[in-house]
Amino acid sequence: ADLIEFTEWGKVKGISAYYNFAASALGVKSPQHSVTNKTIYGYLHALHELGTNKSLDYFNQFADEFEVHDPFGTAPVLTIKDLQSKIKGLATMVAPQGFMVKIKAVTVAADERFGSAYFDLMLLASGKVIQEIPIIDIFEISSAGKIMNLKAVWNLSPPR
């Protein structure tokens, strides 16, 4: 996955690529690669369980010091208390009857502390999927398997 940042005038401000050819093609995996991969999958599982009211383990995925931009471009969230409040607000606005996660892909970057996930957030109403929101999350993961930085790239606006 690539993260492209734009200025308010639409010019490219920065580009970051999150891909690891060696690990993908050659099967070379360091301990940090495994930690990052496992943590991202764990996060997605915890997000799914949060959306289906099965668990609050989502909030245990983060390091003591972390930064979350959800959606990317909004002010950072830096504490669990603020994250709980932000997620509750987003859920009330976007998915008041819950949501499920459908994983499309997880990739660990060449710098194996970083990775990305591509998934659909499936919004529910009366137990049925009413909308799918494509999301790309970009992570920085500690050696202890905790999320230190998360940028969630998504938008409810219809595509142009």
Side-chain angles (χ1 to χ4, degrees):
D2 294 336
L3 174 64
I4 303 172
E5 295 179 79
F6 294 93
T7 67
E8 61 185 277
W9 300 283
K11 295 189 183 238
V12 175
K13 182 177 171 181
I15 299 175
S16 299
Y18 297 89
Y19 184 73
N20 188 341
F21 178 76
S24 300
L26 304 175
V28 177
K29 293 180 174 63
S30 73
Q32 183 61 42
H33 181 282
S34 297
V35 167
T36 297
N37 192 60
K38 181 179 176 185
T39 301
I40 293 171
Y41 275 106
Y43 166 86
L44 294 170
H45 178 75
L47 180 61
H48 178 83
E49 288 200 337
L50 180 68
T52 55
N53 289 316
K54 292 181 181 171
S55 169
L56 295 175
D57 190 45
Y58 174 85
F59 300 105
N60 297 323
Q61 307 302 305
F62 297 89
D64 291 338
E65 293 183 18
F66 66 90
E67 184 171 318
V68 172
H69 295 263
D70 189 357
F72 185 63
T74 60
V77 175
L78 305 171
T79 69
I80 292 296
K81 181 180 177 188
D82 288 345
L83 184 60
Q84 289 169 332
S85 177
K86 172 99 180 205
I87 295 297
K88 181 178 179 183
L90 283 172
T92 300
M93 178 182 75
V94 176
Q97 294 186 28
F99 60 86
M100 298 186 305
V101 171
K102 180 169 58 175
I103 300 170
K104 302 280 191 154
V106 170
T107 302
V108 176
D111 180 339
E112 295 173 341
R113 296 173 302 131
F114 296 90
S116 61
Y118 169 44
F119 62 97
D120 286 336
L121 192 72
M122 301 182 307
L123 308 183
L124 303 174
S126 301
K128 296 185 179 189
V129 176
I130 59 166
Q131 184 178 359
E132 293 186 14
I133 301 172
I135 298 176
I136 296 174
D137 280 354
I138 300 169
F139 300 85
E140 180 179 3
I141 307 296
S142 73
S143 59
K146 295 291 185 177
I147 298 168
M148 299 175 3
N149 194 306
L150 170 62
K151 293 176 177 77
V153 182
W154 60 274
N155 194 326
L156 287 177
S157 301
R160 295 182 210 181

